[in-house]
């Protein structure tokens, strides 16, 4: 006797879409950036541009010492 059983299908597109979104958000949160403005011009300084965190913080401190206003940009 055959039974009419349905196997629950996992919506593959939704699953992969969710994985892509989660990974994307994770990667965006990894990089710290600061937007520094001075004399109507702006410069984005990102931690990934430097060898270590100290160099990144020194670069921001140098811009601020020159009179720039730096604010956090992006990330979580």
């Amino acid at each position: 006797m055959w039974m009419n059983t349905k196997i629950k299908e996992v919506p593959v597109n939704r699953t992969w879409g969710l994985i892509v979104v989660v990974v994307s958000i994770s990667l965006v949160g990894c990089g710290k950036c600061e937007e520094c403005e001075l004399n109507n011009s702006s410069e984005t300084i990102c931690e990934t541009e430097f060898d270590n965190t100290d160099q990144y913080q020194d670069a921001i401190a140098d811009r601020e010492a020159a009179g720039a206003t730096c604010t956090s940009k992006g990330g979580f």
Side-chain angles (χ1 to χ4, degrees):
M1 178 175 213
W2 288 93
M3 296 180 67
N4 188 6
T5 59
K6 291 184 179 182
I7 298 173
K8 184 176 180 183
E9 293 182 27
V10 176
V12 175
N13 290 340
R14 287 187 194 175
T15 302
W16 280 109
L18 180 60
I19 290 170
V20 169
V21 169
V22 169
V23 169
S24 298
I25 289 173
S26 298
L27 293 176
V28 170
C30 291
K32 293 181 189 176
C33 293
E34 295 265 338
E35 184 76 26
C36 296
E37 294 186 24
L38 178 64
N39 298 328
N40 294 325
S41 65
S42 65
E43 176 184 14
T44 302
I45 303 171
C46 292
E47 187 174 15
T48 56
E49 298 170 354
F50 299 92
D51 293 331
N52 58 51
T53 303
D54 291 335
Q55 290 177 349
Y56 168 68
Q57 291 173 348
D58 289 344
I60 293 170
D62 289 344
R63 301 314 188 283
E64 290 177 332
T69 301
C70 299
T71 55
S72 179
K73 177 183 177 184
F76 294 101

